DNA sequence: GGTTCCACTTGATCTCAGTCAAGGTTTCGT
DNA sequence: ACGAAACCTTGACTGAGATCAAGTGGAACC
């Protein structure tokens, strides 16, 4: 039994809550994964993969944040997804990347070579199922975000983003106290603007406004405290506190 | 061999290009599908399923158009997907619908009872694969649409929508001549506005403008001719004519 | 310790799309 | 044929967010 080599205690890099398909948590056929799994690290700002490039791996984020970004010829850009630790990247059965993947912060990814991974998927229906589930989740998140982009005001957009990051952060370090939520913004104002379909100036102004009105507290430019999560979510226009994730 | 009972000639309702998982095209285990497949029809404006409802079927659109819509408490709505003939609806492994499904026109759907369908999926990896592929396509389309919602001008949004409908229409009746493209708009101005994150007045104005400038021709309010597809796509800000579909 | 660079903030102004309002057309029921 | 209800168009005005521009604060690098 090879399992011992790959169990959680042997893999300090991977967080326990590895939602993605991963040797440590999901696959008994560990022999099949030996040699096709590897780690890659990126510095903040580096491009993981360019839109249109050959994509010969799939994988999941171990630490750091990556973004999926689309760009028009004239330079307008829209972030179409945010990859937080445990999120999966890649398209089984797709040759090229449909958008740029950028390391927003320093980034560690746990990758699998694509071909063998696909083979494994063919012989392990359980993985295909898992992947389908995850893709459906992503689709829901994308569609939820369409409502944000299409119908919310700048202020609501900012509040929506903050509450997503807060919730996501809390679930990774699930010390869910009833008290204030504290986290560091992993995105620059510009990255937030690209995610929200705004300009960085508008982002800055709205954050200042939320701060002045006490909805959030700021220490420096990135360290955020949310004294009352309920209030933030009201600002976001969300009714359901039902957990949609990025 | 039961196949004869279900082959294309026996199913006048279903279009040949049934992209979805369907007894006629994809499954040899036809016995398994007998009794779990049925047709439902809806009139324009009817609700197929409400957000939050129990969803006990999956299926695909045979004819007509359905929309996936999200609504905020204050009534703002955003369409998050358009279901054209051959598109799939439903969430294997999900209990409740995440958004409203509305019949935008008169609608015929080819449905499968969910439980047996899931069972079948478990025993037929081929279907799970197909479904994963389709979900990934939908995800790409949703993300492409995020760029439209977040970064395009009203004019570009209209042009984007028209070119999607035109392309989609052409692929269903693939008589792809190089000449002008002709089709009927399946959406009201209001529905277009909900899809594009605009108001119906703005939609109307932009369509009038495109008409005045000869980018499109209109006969009545719905019958559209596109004399030069290339020009429309320039207006949409799309560079790649690469086929992204709704 | 100063210079440089980068991320951010704030102000002034402009513009695109939203809002409010009125009127036109088509369709459908009686 | 008439009236009502959808659906669509157009105009005048308003306002949220974009654009342009100047300035602040902190970290890194000689």
């Amino acid at each position: 039994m090879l399992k011992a080599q790959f169990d959680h205690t042997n893999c300090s890099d991977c967080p326990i809550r590895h939602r993605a398909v991963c040797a440590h948590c999901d696959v008994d056929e560990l022999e099949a994964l030996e040699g096709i799994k590897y780690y890659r690290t990126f510095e903040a700002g580096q491009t993981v993969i360019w839109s249109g490039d050959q994509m010969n791996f799939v994988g999941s984020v171990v630490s750091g944040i990556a973004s999926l970004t689309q760009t028009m010829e004239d330079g307008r850009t829209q972030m179409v997804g945010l990859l937080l630790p445990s999120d999966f990247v890649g398209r089984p059965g797709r040759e090229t990347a449909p958008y740029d993947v950028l390391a927003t912060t320093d980034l560690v990814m746990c990758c699998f070579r694509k071909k063998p991974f696909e083979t494994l998927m063919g012989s392990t229906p359980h993985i295909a199922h898992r992947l389908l589930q995850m893709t459906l989740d992503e689709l829901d998140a994308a569609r939820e975000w369409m409502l944000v982009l299409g119908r919310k005001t700048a202020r609501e957009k900012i509040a929506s983003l903050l509450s997503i990051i807060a919730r996501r952060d809390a679930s990774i370090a699930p010390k869910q106290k009833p008290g204030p939520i504290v986290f560091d913004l992993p995105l620059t104002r510009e990255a937030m603007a690209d995610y929200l379909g705004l300009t960085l100036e508008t982002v800055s102004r709205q954050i200042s406004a939320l701060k002045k009105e006490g909805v959030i507290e700021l220490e420096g430019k990135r360290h955020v405290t949310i004294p009352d999560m309920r209030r933030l979510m009201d600002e976001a226009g969300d009714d359901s506190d039902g957990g949609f994730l990025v």
Side-chain angles (χ1 to χ4, degrees), chain A:
Chain A
M1 177 60 161
L2 277 160
K3 190 132 193 168
Q5 285 185 21
F6 286 89
D7 71 9
H8 294 307
T9 58
N10 274 3
C11 179
S12 54
D13 298 341
C14 290
I16 302 291
R17 268 192 79 269
H18 217 314
R19 293 199 309 165
V21 179
C22 175
H24 319 287
C25 318
D26 287 310
V27 180
D28 286 331
E29 295 84 350
L30 285 178
E31 313 87 272
L33 282 169
E34 271 202 282
I36 77 165
K37 172 173 169 288
Y38 57 99
Y39 289 90
R40 293 179 70 185
T41 62
F42 300 88
E43 282 172 35
Q46 257 190 297
T47 301
V48 177
I49 189 157
W50 292 101
S51 167
D53 275 7
Q54 210 68 15
M55 190 147 174
N56 54 7
F57 67 93
V58 298
S60 61
V61 175
V62 175
S63 67
I65 297 197
S67 66
L68 309 179
T69 301
Q70 274 184 324
T71 306
M72 294 171 68
E73 314 95 277
D74 61 8
R76 282 177 282 179
T77 71
Q78 175 67 49
M79 207 187 285
V80 297
L82 208 51
L83 298 171
L84 302 176
S86 89
D87 280 337
F88 187 78
V89 203
R91 311 254 114 162
R94 190 72 52 96
E95 283 305 308
T96 54
Y99 14 69
D100 302 334
V101 179
L102 294 165
T104 297
T105 63
D106 289 348
L107 183 70
V108 179
M109 294 194 46
C110 170
C111 303
F112 306 93
R113 288 192 296 115
K114 206 178 107 197
K115 277 277 148 49
F117 185 86
E118 282 172 358
T119 314
L120 180 67
M121 210 177 82
S123 61
T124 316
H126 152 242
I127 295 188
H129 251 91
R130 188 85 186 262
L131 225 41
L132 177 59
Q133 223 51 59
M134 284 171 33
T135 308
L136 286 168
D137 286 346
E138 270 188 274
L139 185 58
D140 282 345
R143 284 175 166 163
E144 184 89 23
W145 205 249
M146 286 170 69
L147 177 65
V148 173
L149 289 174
R151 292 300 184 196
K152 291 195 178 179
T153 64
R155 187 186 175 98
E156 288 169 332
K157 286 178 174 182
I158 296 288
S160 297
L161 181 57
L162 290 175
S163 82
I164 284 173
I165 294 175
R167 255 181 289 172
R168 189 58 192 263
D169 226 66
S171 77
I172 283 175
K175 281 147 199 163
Q176 203 70 322
K177 291 168 216 155
I181 296 169
V182 180
F183 60 93
D184 282 307
L185 272 177
L187 301 174
T188 65
R189 301 290 185 261
E190 187 178 21
M192 289 190 245
D194 280 344
Y195 200 26
L196 296 166
L198 297 171
T199 58
L200 70 91
E201 292 95 329
T202 299
V203 170
S204 181
R205 273 186 255 270
Q206 294 300 334
I207 288 181
S208 297
L210 289 175
K211 178 184 171 188
K212 191 151 63 182
E213 295 168 34
V215 181
I216 62 173
E217 285 155 27
L218 263 186
E219 201 183 309
K221 290 147 197 304
R222 299 293 194 89
H223 193 74
V224 180
T225 303
I226 298 173
D228 181 358
M229 191 61 191
R230 186 69 240 164
R231 183 159 170 220
L232 181 65
M233 286 175 53
D234 285 347
E235 293 287 351
D238 296 345
D239 41 350
S240 66
D241 49 357
F244 100 80
L245 300 171
V246 179

